[in-house]
Amino acid sequence: MRPALLLPVLLLTLACSSKLERGKAEDLIRKDYPVVIPVTVPEKASATKGSPEHLRLGALKENLDKSGWFDTTVQTEGDRKSFTFRLKADAPKMIKAAPKGFSLPAAEATFVRAIRMEPTREGARVTYEIRLEKPTAQFPLFQTLHPDAKVGQTKQRHATFERRRGSWELTGTDEAFRKAE
């Protein structure tokens, strides 16, 4: 092989064989955090008296009555209770419209660290940890829905990376929540 062709081939081989470094992966993932962990408030819901759903709706009503952000009404129809939640005009802007209701922040999840990196045919798969932090006044509602949730608890998430145009790019994660604003 000619020496003039050897240099580009050698550079291409080095570029293709370089591994994703842990620090680079963490930097790329960290940009998408913190994320908001929400509690969804339905506009209207009903449940049979004494059922777990009825208890959850009762706890939701009690918490929202304390906040003063919602007008709540309860109607009894036989063995069912119907709950209606309406957002007040002076409610904080952090409460967002959601399909069939409203979304309130309950806590944040922050990036902790990458714990495992595996090469794949397309690039790399990274397993990383997030931590539940900064609970809000609605965190008890979140715990009603997820009794095992505790502040400081860590969970694993996964990210995929691909090598494109000589550099590593984050192509996706399995994070279900949106970035904090």
Side-chain angles (χ1 to χ4, degrees):
M1 189 179 246
R2 290 183 154 163
L5 294 176
L6 186 59
L7 184 59
V9 170
L10 182 61
L11 288 174
L12 184 61
T13 304
L14 287 173
C16 291
S17 66
S18 64
K19 287 176 50 177
L20 176 63
E21 295 176 14
R22 182 177 304 270
K24 175 72 172 173
E26 288 179 340
D27 289 344
L28 290 170
I29 296 168
R30 191 175 282 116
K31 286 191 258 182
D32 292 337
Y33 286 88
V35 293
V36 174
I37 310 297
V39 170
T40 302
V41 176
E43 278 186 81
K44 188 169 186 156
S46 67
T48 306
K49 291 179 187 175
S51 69
E53 180 65 11
H54 177 258
L55 297 174
R56 187 185 77 75
L57 288 169
L60 181 63
K61 180 190 179 319
E62 183 179 319
N63 186 278
L64 293 176
D65 286 346
K66 287 179 189 174
S67 74
W69 301 335
F70 287 82
D71 284 324
T72 59
T73 57
V74 180
Q75 293 180 335
T76 303
E77 302 161 4
D79 67 339
R80 294 187 70 79
K81 280 192 175 182
S82 294
F83 296 79
T84 304
F85 303 98
R86 289 193 181 88
L87 188 63
K88 290 183 177 179
D90 62 344
K93 301 292 183 223
M94 68 178 174
I95 301 172
K96 306 283 186 203
K100 299 181 183 178
F102 309 95
S103 178
L104 294 101
E108 285 186 357
T110 57
F111 175 79
V112 178
R113 66 187 173 106
I115 55 175
R116 186 172 45 253
M117 299 177 59
E118 305 164 31
T120 63
R121 200 158 97 219
E122 297 81 24
R125 178 180 159 101
V126 176
T127 302
Y128 62 98
E129 286 183 336
I130 61 170
R131 178 177 294 125
L132 189 61
E133 295 180 346
K134 298 182 184 176
T136 68
Q138 284 65 47
F139 190 70
L141 292 175
F142 182 77
Q143 286 183 307
T144 301
L145 299 171
H146 308 280
D148 297 337
K150 306 231 181 321
V151 174
Q153 178 181 20
T154 60
K155 294 266 185 188
Q156 290 186 1
R157 296 286 191 265
H158 302 91
T160 54
F161 291 86
E162 288 183 12
R163 184 111 174 132
R164 293 185 181 159
R165 290 176 255 134
S167 65
W168 286 98
E169 290 184 23
L170 176 62
T171 57
T173 68
D174 59 1
E175 182 59 70
F177 302 112
R178 63 179 171 75
K179 184 162 173 59
E181 297 173 359

